[in-house]
Amino acid sequence: MYHCEKERTAFSRLLFFFFLSFASLLFLAVFSYYTSPLSHCENGSDAAFFRLVGQGITKGYLPYRDFFDMKGPFLFFIEFIGQRISYGRLGIFIVQWINLLCVLIIICKIFDHYNISNRYIQICLLLILAFIASFTFEGGNLTEEFSLIPLLSCLYICLVYFDKSEAPSKFYQKDIFWYAGVWFGFCFGLLVMIRITNAAFICAMILVIVINLIKKSQLKELSICIIMFLVGLIISLAPAVLYYSYKGLLHEMLNAVFILGIKYSAEKSFTQHVAETIISDQKQLLLLLAVPCSIPILLGWRTWRERLLAFLGGLFTFIAIASGNNYIHYYTLAIPLLVLGEISITESVRIKVGKKELLAIVLVVVMLISSYSLFDYYSWAAYSHLFLQDRYNISQVVEDISSKIPEEDKDSVFCYNINPSWYTYADLFPCIKYCGWQNHYISLMPEIYDDLKKTFISDPPAWLVLPEEGGDLPLFLEQLLETDYLLVYDNESYALYNNKR
């Protein structure tokens, strides 16, 4: 009897695993329309650039030497892995699929830890998360999506530690201090090498753990945690640092990832960032932070540790989001908070349904209703990319221009004032590393202007692609258009120039 029950349990777990696999595949096929194999009409903006860098690495190109951007090297390594699996959209889509499946498994492990083991309840809770992710993923293949495994795995360890911190057994606590410290440091390092602000929620978890250890006068354990955190951090950072040092590109990497990143965030004051986030057209997104972090506090859920984590997690994530430009995909970082809110309300409702529980349910409903307009917009975008692909002619327009470039000059093409996704449609690589968002980056780092000017003087691109309307061009480029470049072809979107010399 016991053997049969064990077999059924193993079978049900396997069945649920396949369900999660199919669910993650279906979700990405629909809502990750910039990489979905079902949609070929548009590659996106940032998503296309990240894929372009991954494709370039397979051809011998290197981030920061041949592509300039503030994202960390681990993100581009993920993109490279995708392109090694299968060159083009499919490769990174497979990586996304594996990533999302792991995310769902970790979330279900968190549910199981709190005895929320009923599969139907788990599916309902996952559907709420999928509803939010349908618009925060913004077409897929963005940094926040690949940050979820580090964030959620640390959340799982943190919650288990809170549960066991009062246990009489010291063995478990000693064990978790050694190994969890390494994992937290490792995950923090990974996020630093993707996009440092994505690590905000890990910082909140670390702060609560430190406060708990100090409160319990466990200074020895705190010392172990700090040492092991640093060990994990070194393990995660060392490969990138050593690799770029070996290539002689460490300064370029640090300059792009940290200096440009800091200048990007400091473009406006923190007060301006906060004010713009609060009054933005998508201010309802703030409920994705406010509601899940307030529910554990409202319900008096568990101990002060869980409630403090919810508060600080919401606060730190808000600061991370506000320090950027409040893009919708930033709010993918709210998913760990939403998981925390879900388990707190599910546990509380299972015990009793009083006024506080009803109020918490109302807050969740308000949050979901307020987000419906975004869900509706991005659902229509997904539908259009899947079933109305004839509306998108980007690839045809780009191919019309790129077909005029001789084969022998394909490695000497440069676009200015054009989204770097152009290269993915043309199946080309830029000949200068400043291949996108040039005017913005020049405003942040004026030395880029000088680098571009020197390059155009010493080794000018054979072919130059500009928007049909031209746009705001640097002075040296306007002068070169008059003296060195000849317009040879244009269409509805782009103008193609050839170097006369």
Side-chain angles (χ1 to χ4, degrees), residues 433-456:
K433 68 178 180 178
Y434 304 111
C435 56
W437 310 288
Q438 293 98 341
N439 285 340
H440 189 192
Y441 284 174
I442 287 173
S443 70
L444 297 175
M445 301 180 75
E447 58 267 32
I448 293 176
Y449 178 95
D450 297 327
D451 285 349
L452 278 171
K453 184 177 180 179
K454 288 177 184 176
T455 302
F456 267 85

PDB file of all heavy atoms in Angstrom, residues 433-456:
ATOM      1  N   LYS A 433      31.646  49.940 -32.008  1.00  0.00           N
ATOM      2  CA  LYS A 433      30.958  49.400 -30.829  1.00  0.00           C
ATOM      3  C   LYS A 433      29.800  50.270 -30.341  1.00  0.00           C
ATOM      4  O   LYS A 433      28.880  49.770 -29.705  1.00  0.00           O
ATOM      5  CB  LYS A 433      31.947  49.173 -29.691  1.00  0.00           C
ATOM      6  CG  LYS A 433      32.549  50.425 -29.067  1.00  0.00           C
ATOM      7  CD  LYS A 433      33.464  50.046 -27.915  1.00  0.00           C
ATOM      8  CE  LYS A 433      34.087  51.247 -27.246  1.00  0.00           C
ATOM      9  NZ  LYS A 433      34.947  50.865 -26.099  1.00  0.00           N
ATOM     10  N   TYR A 434      29.828  51.564 -30.644  1.00  0.00           N
ATOM     11  CA  TYR A 434      28.737  52.443 -30.214  1.00  0.00           C
ATOM     12  C   TYR A 434      27.580  52.293 -31.207  1.00  0.00           C
ATOM     13  O   TYR A 434      27.306  53.185 -32.013  1.00  0.00           O
ATOM     14  CB  TYR A 434      29.209  53.893 -30.137  1.00  0.00           C
ATOM     15  CG  TYR A 434      30.407  54.073 -29.246  1.00  0.00           C
ATOM     16  CD1 TYR A 434      31.648  54.404 -29.779  1.00  0.00           C
ATOM     17  CD2 TYR A 434      30.302  53.908 -27.874  1.00  0.00           C
ATOM     18  CE1 TYR A 434      32.756  54.571 -28.964  1.00  0.00           C
ATOM     19  CE2 TYR A 434      31.403  54.071 -27.041  1.00  0.00           C
ATOM     20  CZ  TYR A 434      32.632  54.398 -27.590  1.00  0.00           C
ATOM     21  OH  TYR A 434      33.725  54.559 -26.772  1.00  0.00           O
ATOM     22  N   CYS A 435      26.896  51.169 -31.125  1.00  0.00           N
ATOM     23  CA  CYS A 435      25.962  50.792 -32.188  1.00  0.00           C
ATOM     24  C   CYS A 435      24.504  51.111 -31.875  1.00  0.00           C
ATOM     25  O   CYS A 435      23.617  50.771 -32.658  1.00  0.00           O
ATOM     26  CB  CYS A 435      26.110  49.297 -32.491  1.00  0.00           C
ATOM     27  SG  CYS A 435      25.894  48.238 -31.044  1.00  0.00           S
ATOM     28  N   GLY A 436      24.235  51.766 -30.763  1.00  0.00           N
ATOM     29  CA  GLY A 436      22.850  52.107 -30.450  1.00  0.00           C
ATOM     30  C   GLY A 436      22.759  53.217 -29.420  1.00  0.00           C
ATOM     31  O   GLY A 436      23.677  53.420 -28.612  1.00  0.00           O
ATOM     32  N   TRP A 437      21.645  53.955 -29.462  1.00  0.00           N
ATOM     33  CA  TRP A 437      21.356  55.000 -28.475  1.00  0.00           C
ATOM     34  C   TRP A 437      22.517  55.991 -28.357  1.00  0.00           C
ATOM     35  O   TRP A 437      22.857  56.457 -27.264  1.00  0.00           O
ATOM     36  CB  TRP A 437      21.045  54.357 -27.113  1.00  0.00           C
ATOM     37  CG  TRP A 437      20.035  53.268 -27.213  1.00  0.00           C
ATOM     38  CD1 TRP A 437      18.686  53.402 -27.451  1.00  0.00           C
ATOM     39  CD2 TRP A 437      20.276  51.856 -27.131  1.00  0.00           C
ATOM     40  NE1 TRP A 437      18.080  52.170 -27.505  1.00  0.00           N
ATOM     41  CE2 TRP A 437      19.022  51.203 -27.305  1.00  0.00           C
ATOM     42  CE3 TRP A 437      21.410  51.083 -26.911  1.00  0.00           C
ATOM     43  CZ2 TRP A 437      18.894  49.814 -27.280  1.00  0.00           C
ATOM     44  CZ3 TRP A 437      21.278  49.701 -26.883  1.00  0.00           C
ATOM     45  CH2 TRP A 437      20.043  49.085 -27.064  1.00  0.00           C
ATOM     46  N   GLN A 438      23.131  56.325 -29.510  1.00  0.00           N
ATOM     47  CA  GLN A 438      24.373  57.117 -29.487  1.00  0.00           C
ATOM     48  C   GLN A 438      24.183  58.497 -28.862  1.00  0.00           C
ATOM     49  O   GLN A 438      24.999  58.925 -28.037  1.00  0.00           O
ATOM     50  CB  GLN A 438      24.931  57.265 -30.916  1.00  0.00           C
ATOM     51  CG  GLN A 438      25.426  55.963 -31.523  1.00  0.00           C
ATOM     52  CD  GLN A 438      24.388  55.323 -32.434  1.00  0.00           C
ATOM     53  OE1 GLN A 438      23.198  55.631 -32.350  1.00  0.00           O
ATOM     54  NE2 GLN A 438      24.837  54.435 -33.310  1.00  0.00           N
ATOM     55  N   ASN A 439      23.137  59.211 -29.264  1.00  0.00           N
ATOM     56  CA  ASN A 439      22.963  60.570 -28.741  1.00  0.00           C
ATOM     57  C   ASN A 439      22.789  60.566 -27.219  1.00  0.00           C
ATOM     58  O   ASN A 439      23.325  61.436 -26.518  1.00  0.00           O
ATOM     59  CB  ASN A 439      21.757  61.241 -29.405  1.00  0.00           C
ATOM     60  CG  ASN A 439      22.056  61.662 -30.828  1.00  0.00           C
ATOM     61  OD1 ASN A 439      23.208  61.807 -31.213  1.00  0.00           O
ATOM     62  ND2 ASN A 439      21.019  61.868 -31.622  1.00  0.00           N
ATOM     63  N   HIS A 440      22.033  59.597 -26.732  1.00  0.00           N
ATOM     64  CA  HIS A 440      21.819  59.506 -25.286  1.00  0.00           C
ATOM     65  C   HIS A 440      23.128  59.188 -24.571  1.00  0.00           C
ATOM     66  O   HIS A 440      23.482  59.823 -23.571  1.00  0.00           O
ATOM     67  CB  HIS A 440      20.778  58.428 -24.981  1.00  0.00           C
ATOM     68  CG  HIS A 440      20.345  58.408 -23.547  1.00  0.00           C
ATOM     69  ND1 HIS A 440      19.615  57.390 -23.003  1.00  0.00           N
ATOM     70  CD2 HIS A 440      20.562  59.287 -22.529  1.00  0.00           C
ATOM     71  CE1 HIS A 440      19.389  57.630 -21.728  1.00  0.00           C
ATOM     72  NE2 HIS A 440      19.954  58.777 -21.418  1.00  0.00           N
ATOM     73  N   TYR A 441      23.875  58.226 -25.107  1.00  0.00           N
ATOM     74  CA  TYR A 441      25.136  57.845 -24.467  1.00  0.00           C
ATOM     75  C   TYR A 441      26.161  58.969 -24.542  1.00  0.00           C
ATOM     76  O   TYR A 441      26.957  59.165 -23.615  1.00  0.00           O
ATOM     77  CB  TYR A 441      25.691  56.578 -25.109  1.00  0.00           C
ATOM     78  CG  TYR A 441      24.970  55.307 -24.670  1.00  0.00           C
ATOM     79  CD1 TYR A 441      25.265  54.078 -25.247  1.00  0.00           C
ATOM     80  CD2 TYR A 441      24.002  55.340 -23.676  1.00  0.00           C
ATOM     81  CE1 TYR A 441      24.616  52.917 -24.841  1.00  0.00           C
ATOM     82  CE2 TYR A 441      23.342  54.197 -23.268  1.00  0.00           C
ATOM     83  CZ  TYR A 441      23.647  52.982 -23.858  1.00  0.00           C
ATOM     84  OH  TYR A 441      23.007  51.841 -23.457  1.00  0.00           O
ATOM     85  N   ILE A 442      26.163  59.726 -25.635  1.00  0.00           N
ATOM     86  CA  ILE A 442      27.079  60.867 -25.746  1.00  0.00           C
ATOM     87  C   ILE A 442      26.756  61.921 -24.694  1.00  0.00           C
ATOM     88  O   ILE A 442      27.649  62.534 -24.105  1.00  0.00           O
ATOM     89  CB  ILE A 442      27.021  61.475 -27.168  1.00  0.00           C
ATOM     90  CG1 ILE A 442      27.729  60.542 -28.164  1.00  0.00           C
ATOM     91  CG2 ILE A 442      27.655  62.865 -27.208  1.00  0.00           C
ATOM     92  CD1 ILE A 442      27.571  60.963 -29.609  1.00  0.00           C
ATOM     93  N   SER A 443      25.462  62.128 -24.437  1.00  0.00           N
ATOM     94  CA  SER A 443      25.069  63.105 -23.415  1.00  0.00           C
ATOM     95  C   SER A 443      25.528  62.668 -22.022  1.00  0.00           C
ATOM     96  O   SER A 443      25.804  63.507 -21.163  1.00  0.00           O
ATOM     97  CB  SER A 443      23.547  63.307 -23.425  1.00  0.00           C
ATOM     98  OG  SER A 443      22.870  62.155 -22.943  1.00  0.00           O
ATOM     99  N   LEU A 444      25.624  61.349 -21.820  1.00  0.00           N
ATOM    100  CA  LEU A 444      26.068  60.833 -20.523  1.00  0.00           C
ATOM    101  C   LEU A 444      27.593  60.782 -20.433  1.00  0.00           C
ATOM    102  O   LEU A 444      28.172  61.039 -19.376  1.00  0.00           O
ATOM    103  CB  LEU A 444      25.503  59.427 -20.294  1.00  0.00           C
ATOM    104  CG  LEU A 444      23.980  59.302 -20.206  1.00  0.00           C
ATOM    105  CD1 LEU A 444      23.565  57.843 -20.094  1.00  0.00           C
ATOM    106  CD2 LEU A 444      23.441  60.088 -19.017  1.00  0.00           C
ATOM    107  N   MET A 445      28.233  60.418 -21.552  1.00  0.00           N
ATOM    108  CA  MET A 445      29.692  60.281 -21.586  1.00  0.00           C
ATOM    109  C   MET A 445      30.209  60.999 -22.840  1.00  0.00           C
ATOM    110  O   MET A 445      30.313  60.390 -23.912  1.00  0.00           O
ATOM    111  CB  MET A 445      30.098  58.801 -21.597  1.00  0.00           C
ATOM    112  CG  MET A 445      29.601  58.026 -20.387  1.00  0.00           C
ATOM    113  SD  MET A 445      30.095  56.276 -20.399  1.00  0.00           S
ATOM    114  CE  MET A 445      31.837  56.429 -19.968  1.00  0.00           C
ATOM    115  N   PRO A 446      30.523  62.287 -22.745  1.00  0.00           N
ATOM    116  CA  PRO A 446      30.941  63.069 -23.922  1.00  0.00           C
ATOM    117  C   PRO A 446      32.160  62.497 -24.636  1.00  0.00           C
ATOM    118  O   PRO A 446      32.363  62.770 -25.827  1.00  0.00           O
ATOM    119  CB  PRO A 446      31.254  64.453 -23.324  1.00  0.00           C
ATOM    120  CG  PRO A 446      30.428  64.518 -22.077  1.00  0.00           C
ATOM    121  CD  PRO A 446      30.405  63.129 -21.541  1.00  0.00           C
ATOM    122  N   GLU A 447      32.968  61.691 -23.935  1.00  0.00           N
ATOM    123  CA  GLU A 447      34.148  61.116 -24.584  1.00  0.00           C
ATOM    124  C   GLU A 447      33.769  60.170 -25.717  1.00  0.00           C
ATOM    125  O   GLU A 447      34.601  59.881 -26.599  1.00  0.00           O
ATOM    126  CB  GLU A 447      35.021  60.384 -23.562  1.00  0.00           C
ATOM    127  CG  GLU A 447      34.356  59.266 -22.799  1.00  0.00           C
ATOM    128  CD  GLU A 447      33.769  59.715 -21.465  1.00  0.00           C
ATOM    129  OE1 GLU A 447      33.331  60.876 -21.373  1.00  0.00           O
ATOM    130  OE2 GLU A 447      33.748  58.892 -20.532  1.00  0.00           O
ATOM    131  N   ILE A 448      32.528  59.679 -25.726  1.00  0.00           N
ATOM    132  CA  ILE A 448      32.078  58.821 -26.821  1.00  0.00           C
ATOM    133  C   ILE A 448      32.070  59.604 -28.134  1.00  0.00           C
ATOM    134  O   ILE A 448      32.392  59.058 -29.194  1.00  0.00           O
ATOM    135  CB  ILE A 448      30.674  58.244 -26.514  1.00  0.00           C
ATOM    136  CG1 ILE A 448      30.744  57.283 -25.324  1.00  0.00           C
ATOM    137  CG2 ILE A 448      30.085  57.531 -27.735  1.00  0.00           C
ATOM    138  CD1 ILE A 448      29.404  56.751 -24.883  1.00  0.00           C
ATOM    139  N   TYR A 449      31.730  60.873 -28.055  1.00  0.00           N
ATOM    140  CA  TYR A 449      31.760  61.741 -29.244  1.00  0.00           C
ATOM    141  C   TYR A 449      33.162  61.753 -29.844  1.00  0.00           C
ATOM    142  O   TYR A 449      33.336  61.591 -31.061  1.00  0.00           O
ATOM    143  CB  TYR A 449      31.323  63.156 -28.864  1.00  0.00           C
ATOM    144  CG  TYR A 449      31.362  64.156 -30.002  1.00  0.00           C
ATOM    145  CD1 TYR A 449      30.218  64.428 -30.740  1.00  0.00           C
ATOM    146  CD2 TYR A 449      32.545  64.826 -30.327  1.00  0.00           C
ATOM    147  CE1 TYR A 449      30.248  65.351 -31.785  1.00  0.00           C
ATOM    148  CE2 TYR A 449      32.597  65.738 -31.363  1.00  0.00           C
ATOM    149  CZ  TYR A 449      31.436  66.000 -32.091  1.00  0.00           C
ATOM    150  OH  TYR A 449      31.469  66.893 -33.123  1.00  0.00           O
ATOM    151  N   ASP A 450      34.159  61.927 -28.992  1.00  0.00           N
ATOM    152  CA  ASP A 450      35.542  61.977 -29.472  1.00  0.00           C
ATOM    153  C   ASP A 450      35.978  60.641 -30.063  1.00  0.00           C
ATOM    154  O   ASP A 450      36.661  60.600 -31.094  1.00  0.00           O
ATOM    155  CB  ASP A 450      36.475  62.375 -28.321  1.00  0.00           C
ATOM    156  CG  ASP A 450      36.176  63.769 -27.794  1.00  0.00           C
ATOM    157  OD1 ASP A 450      35.764  64.623 -28.600  1.00  0.00           O
ATOM    158  OD2 ASP A 450      36.342  64.001 -26.582  1.00  0.00           O
ATOM    159  N   ASP A 451      35.568  59.535 -29.419  1.00  0.00           N
ATOM    160  CA  ASP A 451      35.912  58.206 -29.933  1.00  0.00           C
ATOM    161  C   ASP A 451      35.308  57.983 -31.313  1.00  0.00           C
ATOM    162  O   ASP A 451      35.973  57.464 -32.220  1.00  0.00           O
ATOM    163  CB  ASP A 451      35.418  57.115 -28.967  1.00  0.00           C
ATOM    164  CG  ASP A 451      36.275  57.005 -27.732  1.00  0.00           C
ATOM    165  OD1 ASP A 451      37.360  57.613 -27.703  1.00  0.00           O
ATOM    166  OD2 ASP A 451      35.869  56.308 -26.778  1.00  0.00           O
ATOM    167  N   LEU A 452      34.033  58.362 -31.473  1.00  0.00           N
ATOM    168  CA  LEU A 452      33.370  58.202 -32.767  1.00  0.00           C
ATOM    169  C   LEU A 452      34.045  59.053 -33.841  1.00  0.00           C
ATOM    170  O   LEU A 452      34.270  58.594 -34.967  1.00  0.00           O
ATOM    171  CB  LEU A 452      31.897  58.576 -32.651  1.00  0.00           C
ATOM    172  CG  LEU A 452      30.943  57.511 -32.098  1.00  0.00           C
ATOM    173  CD1 LEU A 452      29.565  58.114 -31.850  1.00  0.00           C
ATOM    174  CD2 LEU A 452      30.831  56.336 -33.069  1.00  0.00           C
ATOM    175  N   LYS A 453      34.374  60.282 -33.480  1.00  0.00           N
ATOM    176  CA  LYS A 453      35.009  61.188 -34.440  1.00  0.00           C
ATOM    177  C   LYS A 453      36.354  60.637 -34.907  1.00  0.00           C
ATOM    178  O   LYS A 453      36.660  60.623 -36.114  1.00  0.00           O
ATOM    179  CB  LYS A 453      35.186  62.566 -33.808  1.00  0.00           C
ATOM    180  CG  LYS A 453      35.750  63.611 -34.763  1.00  0.00           C
ATOM    181  CD  LYS A 453      35.818  64.975 -34.067  1.00  0.00           C
ATOM    182  CE  LYS A 453      36.383  66.027 -35.015  1.00  0.00           C
ATOM    183  NZ  LYS A 453      36.440  67.367 -34.362  1.00  0.00           N
ATOM    184  N   LYS A 454      37.155  60.126 -33.961  1.00  0.00           N
ATOM    185  CA  LYS A 454      38.461  59.553 -34.309  1.00  0.00           C
ATOM    186  C   LYS A 454      38.298  58.343 -35.231  1.00  0.00           C
ATOM    187  O   LYS A 454      39.055  58.166 -36.190  1.00  0.00           O
ATOM    188  CB  LYS A 454      39.200  59.145 -33.038  1.00  0.00           C
ATOM    189  CG  LYS A 454      39.711  60.315 -32.207  1.00  0.00           C
ATOM    190  CD  LYS A 454      40.366  59.828 -30.918  1.00  0.00           C
ATOM    191  CE  LYS A 454      40.794  60.993 -30.048  1.00  0.00           C
ATOM    192  NZ  LYS A 454      41.356  60.515 -28.748  1.00  0.00           N
ATOM    193  N   THR A 455      37.297  57.512 -34.920  1.00  0.00           N
ATOM    194  CA  THR A 455      37.070  56.314 -35.727  1.00  0.00           C
ATOM    195  C   THR A 455      36.672  56.689 -37.146  1.00  0.00           C
ATOM    196  O   THR A 455      37.158  56.093 -38.125  1.00  0.00           O
ATOM    197  CB  THR A 455      35.988  55.432 -35.093  1.00  0.00           C
ATOM    198  OG1 THR A 455      36.384  55.073 -33.763  1.00  0.00           O
ATOM    199  CG2 THR A 455      35.762  54.168 -35.907  1.00  0.00           C
ATOM    200  N   PHE A 456      35.796  57.671 -37.291  1.00  0.00           N
ATOM    201  CA  PHE A 456      35.354  58.083 -38.628  1.00  0.00           C
ATOM    202  C   PHE A 456      36.485  58.733 -39.425  1.00  0.00           C
ATOM    203  O   PHE A 456      36.467  58.702 -40.656  1.00  0.00           O
ATOM    204  CB  PHE A 456      34.172  59.044 -38.515  1.00  0.00           C
ATOM    205  CG  PHE A 456      32.833  58.367 -38.574  1.00  0.00           C
ATOM    206  CD1 PHE A 456      32.260  57.826 -37.432  1.00  0.00           C
ATOM    207  CD2 PHE A 456      32.150  58.240 -39.770  1.00  0.00           C
ATOM    208  CE1 PHE A 456      31.034  57.195 -37.474  1.00  0.00           C
ATOM    209  CE2 PHE A 456      30.920  57.613 -39.835  1.00  0.00           C
ATOM    210  CZ  PHE A 456      30.362  57.073 -38.682  1.00  0.00           C
TER     211      PHE A 456
END
